Amino acid sequence: MKFFTSQISYFLSSRNTKVNIKRLLRFLAALSALIIAYSVIFHFIMLYEGQEHSWVTGFYWTLTVMSTLGFGDITFTSDLGRAFSVVVLMSGMISLLILLPFTFIEFFYAPWLEAQSKARAPRELPEDTKNHVIITHLDPITRSLIEKLDQYNYEYVLLVTDLRKALELYDEGYRVVFGELDDPETYKRLRVKNAAMVVSIGTDMVNSNISNTVRELDEKVTIVTTANSTDSVDLLKMAGADHVIQLGQMMGKSISRRTISQDSRVHVVGRFEELVIAEATADGTPLVGKTIAESNLREKLNINIVGVWERGKFIKPTPDTLINKESVLLLAGSVDQLRNYDEHMAIYGSNEKPVIIVGAGRVGRGTAEAFEERGMDYRVIEKNPERVLDNEKYILGGGEELDILKKAGIEEAPCIIMTTHDDDMNVYLTIYARHLRPDIQIIGRATLQRNVSTLHRAGADFVMSYATMGANAIFNILERNDVVMIAEGLNVFNLETPKLLAGKTLKESNIRKDTGCSVLSIKQNGQQEINPHPDTKLNPESELVIIGNVEQESQFMNLYFEE
């Protein structure tokens, strides 16, 4: 009953609906007048022929003829009567069989269906909604963000401007609200004053409009936007955005850290107070050919190897894990401990040939800028001449052209990076590069999360997901902590010790056995213990820094935090 009432409300509240009803009523009035006129004429012609019938009979005859039900017990015998019958029949066919259905559908039935759709698509949130995340666009990044919000039990609402799309997403299970992006009333109905965050990842111009609109309504809510142009960052902050994320540069820096190149120094991928997570390539160092136990890194430098990458596969280390030429070590330790690692390993060089970057978009340029900061040599292959910045390091052409790849140095390059926004192209180039150089390191960028595994199968050693990185960056701001994406599907994250584990030692908790996650550090009583001892006892107020893939993280949350 409530749903039917809302349908009536939406139906009658529209100005167009009122106009359409008036048009329909006028048509019905004209049709009624025509029926009455035909009924009156029927009586005069019948009297002319010497027949007399009641008024009810006149209406009966008129309706049966106009509706083409045919002639039966009442007929005219004169030519005048039969001509009149033809006129009534033809006008009935036009008015009842053509105009009436069209008018009814156009002016009543179609608006009623639209009112039903509008009533079914939510237009506001309950008044008691709070601490929710308002998302203004749906794309691969926000889809990944929504999955993470669901995983951590955060409420969200997706603002959709297209009614049909809103209904489709609503039926798919998304929490949607139908409204306009630039209308202040929309955000009032979204309870923006009670929201934890507003996320906008449209164009820079749309983001600035949304930021300005939301900021006028509330000065406290956190606004997070993306920026396609570096020049837009300051403008978006002036419009009211608290955090402006440049995903191209962020991904470029992340990709650059995973590149086998000139040195074997550690490259920081995340910090959790005193704990530093870093990666270092083993190529060219004395570690190659040794097991982790034989490396003696923990004994000599007090550094813990928490993972080893082997051609895109993450291996949980054991004392017998062998370090190969292609291995990338994931290290955990303090700043001083990692500095000691650098002092021992930085003298060992790797391949000094230029790294190849395919694509000079935002990600490709961000990767090149990161290489510039590190003093690394590189070559960028780009088809668009407008993106070719100089003739020394940029090569005009396509990554699928053998001559272009040879010019970029494919025969000796330590690494090739696929950064185009076309996943199909990146898969093709990965297969091609692996065919040309079976020993080269290949790093791929995936726009859609579903193509990550495809790139790995094609031969990529590392794959960075644009969607996951963007979602993690936004989620970090919401949580006010760090969730570091080591690679697609593998995260380092921190959280409070679950109540179910309080009072147990790390060994007794069976975290690794039950979830597959590994604890990198424990912070309690104001002190952070890096690479904690198994007998360390967990206090209720302690914080854990944990490494695990998406499934393991989900298992951890479901096991220890589900009510």
Side-chain angles (χ1 to χ4, degrees):
M1 184 66 185
K2 183 178 179 182
F3 181 63
F4 180 77
T5 304
S6 63
Q7 290 182 17
I8 294 292
S9 176
Y10 282 123
F11 182 66
L12 297 178
S13 63
S14 172
R15 182 177 179 275
N16 290 334
T17 297
K18 296 176 182 178
V19 173
N20 290 339
I21 290 177
K22 289 180 180 179
R23 291 173 178 172
L24 179 61
L25 291 176
R26 283 200 296 266
F27 175 80
L28 292 175
L31 182 61
S32 299
L34 184 64
I35 293 172
I36 292 172
Y38 284 157
S39 299
V40 172
I41 296 173
F42 166 83
H43 281 281
F44 283 107
I45 297 178
M46 280 295 179
L47 290 173
Y48 170 76
E49 293 184 356
Q51 302 183 56
E52 187 173 351
H53 296 279
S54 66
W55 287 104
V56 174
T57 302
F59 282 109
Y60 163 75
W61 180 88
T62 301
L63 291 175
T64 57
V65 174
M66 291 185 70
S67 61
T68 70
L69 293 177
F71 299 97
D73 52 335
I74 304 173
T75 59
F76 288 105
T77 58
S78 65
D79 290 340
L80 176 64
R82 288 171 178 171
F84 173 66
S85 299
V86 172
V87 172
V88 174
L89 178 65
M90 296 300 295
S91 61
M93 290 175 61
I94 295 173
S95 59
L96 290 181
L97 301 184
I98 299 176
L99 293 180
L100 180 60
F102 175 81
T103 305
F104 179 78
I105 293 172
E106 177 71 16
F107 296 142
F108 184 84
Y109 185 68
W112 175 257
L113 290 180
E114 184 178 357
Q116 283 184 312
S117 298
K118 287 184 177 181
R120 194 161 63 90
R123 299 178 68 91
E124 65 178 330
L125 295 178
E127 293 185 4
D128 59 350
T129 305
K130 59 183 179 180
N131 296 326
H132 55 294
V133 178
I134 300 173
I135 302 172
T136 62
H137 298 80
L138 184 66
D139 71 348
I141 295 174
T142 49
R143 286 183 187 273
S144 294
L145 175 62
I146 288 172
E147 291 178 5
K148 204 162 193 66
L149 293 173
D150 285 337
Q151 182 180 340
Y152 281 81
N153 298 318
Y154 276 98
E155 288 194 12
Y156 74 90
V157 61
L158 182 62
L159 177 58
V160 184
T161 58
D162 182 75
L163 178 60
R164 181 175 297 178
K165 187 64 176 178
L167 292 174
E168 289 177 1
L169 294 172
Y170 179 78
D171 291 337
E172 289 178 17
Y174 288 94
R175 189 180 189 187
V176 301
V177 164
F178 171 64
E180 297 299 327
L181 292 175
D182 58 352
D183 187 358
E185 292 300 319
T186 298
Y187 296 97
K188 290 180 182 179
R189 293 193 294 268
L190 290 175
R191 316 304 174 194
V192 69
K193 291 190 175 182
N194 298 329
M197 178 184 289
V198 176
V199 179
S200 178
I201 57 172
T203 65
D204 293 353
M205 289 178 288
V206 171
N207 290 344
S208 64
N209 193 352
I210 292 173
S211 299
N212 192 57
T213 302
V214 172
R215 189 55 72 209
E216 286 182 359
L217 296 174
D218 190 85
E219 292 291 332
K220 296 181 180 179
V221 65
T222 301
I223 302 176
V224 180
T225 71
T226 55
N228 295 324
S229 171
T230 303
D231 297 333
S232 300
V233 175
D234 291 337
L235 293 176
L236 285 166
K237 289 184 177 180
M238 290 172 60
D242 298 288
H243 302 272
V244 181
I245 301 172
Q246 291 183 273
L247 288 177
Q249 290 186 353
M250 183 183 298
M251 174 160 279
K253 290 183 178 179
S254 182
I255 287 175
S256 71
R257 290 195 297 260
R258 286 151 176 81
T259 304
I260 297 175
S261 58
Q262 287 95 331
D263 63 69
S264 300
R265 292 179 297 177
V266 298
H267 301 287
V268 176
V269 295
R271 291 175 180 268
F272 297 87
E273 298 187 12
E274 296 179 6
L275 174 66
V276 181
I277 310 298
E279 290 179 341
T281 58
D283 187 29
T285 71
L287 299 177
V288 175
K290 295 182 179 179
T291 64
I292 290 180
E294 293 170 345
S295 70
N296 292 323
L297 287 180
R298 188 175 181 90
E299 292 75 11
K300 293 179 179 178
L301 306 176
N302 200 24
I303 287 180
N304 193 24
I305 299 178
V306 297
V308 178
W309 286 102
E310 293 285 356
R311 290 207 176 279
K313 182 180 180 182
F314 182 74
I315 301 173
K316 287 188 176 180
T318 66
D320 298 327
T321 299
L322 184 65
I323 301 174
N324 299 310
K325 178 177 178 292
E326 298 83 10
S327 299
V328 177
L329 308 179
L330 185 64
L331 308 173
S334 65
V335 173
D336 291 336
Q337 291 165 354
L338 294 176
R339 188 177 292 120
N340 289 335
Y341 181 92
D342 273 348
E343 292 176 357
H344 283 79
M345 299 297 177
I347 59 173
Y348 300 104
S350 184
N351 193 329
E352 296 183 358
K353 299 297 181 180
V355 174
I356 300 174
I357 303 171
V358 181
R362 289 192 296 271
V363 176
R365 294 195 303 272
T367 306
E369 290 172 5
F371 286 156
E372 289 280 0
E373 293 175 1
R374 292 172 52 186
M376 289 173 53
D377 198 7
Y378 61 90
R379 297 292 181 271
V380 181
I381 298 175
E382 173 57 47
K383 288 183 177 181
N384 187 349
E386 296 180 359
R387 292 180 175 177
V388 177
L389 303 182
D390 61 64
N391 294 325
E392 180 183 350
K393 293 188 176 181
Y394 282 71
I395 301 172
L396 182 62
E400 70 278 12
E401 301 175 42
L402 182 58
D403 291 342
I404 296 297
L405 288 172
K406 286 184 176 180
K407 187 176 179 181
I410 186 66
E411 295 171 340
E412 296 180 317
C415 175
I416 183 169
I417 304 170
M418 314 303 180
T419 70
T420 76
H421 66 278
D422 187 340
D423 287 357
D424 292 336
M425 176 61 76
N426 290 339
V427 171
Y428 175 83
L429 294 176
T430 298
I431 296 172
Y432 189 33
R434 182 60 70 204
H435 172 71
L436 294 175
R437 283 278 311 279
D439 61 330
I440 196 172
Q441 183 193 32
I442 301 176
I443 300 177
R445 167 259 179 106
T447 300
L448 300 177
Q449 200 166 358
R450 65 173 179 263
N451 289 324
V452 171
S453 59
T454 305
L455 278 163
H456 277 305
R457 289 195 303 270
D461 297 294
F462 285 96
V463 180
M464 301 298 294
S465 167
Y466 203 73
T468 306
M469 176 163 287
N472 277 350
I474 297 170
F475 190 77
N476 287 347
I477 297 170
L478 176 64
E479 283 277 282
R480 294 181 176 85
N481 62 10
D482 289 328
V483 176
V484 177
M485 186 175 75
I486 304 302
E488 173 58 28
L490 181 67
N491 296 330
V492 178
F493 55 98
N494 68 330
L495 41 74
E496 295 182 358
T497 299
K499 294 180 181 179
L500 294 175
L501 299 180
K504 296 181 179 180
T505 64
L506 193 57
K507 183 178 180 179
E508 293 171 342
S509 68
N510 288 324
I511 292 176
R512 185 165 186 173
K513 179 181 177 181
D514 294 339
T515 69
C517 296
S518 298
V519 177
L520 302 182
S521 77
I522 301 173
K523 182 181 179 181
Q524 47 192 6
N525 301 323
Q527 300 293 323
Q528 186 173 28
E529 183 180 354
I530 300 173
N531 302 321
H533 193 275
D535 293 331
T536 302
K537 197 171 186 179
L538 303 176
N539 296 328
E541 300 83 10
S542 61
E543 292 184 3
L544 307 178
V545 176
I546 295 174
I547 184 171
N549 61 31
V550 175
E551 292 77 16
Q552 292 165 351
E553 181 181 354
S554 179
Q555 176 69 11
F556 187 95
M557 299 301 297
N558 293 335
L559 184 60
Y560 298 122
F561 286 97
E562 284 290 324
E563 295 182 356

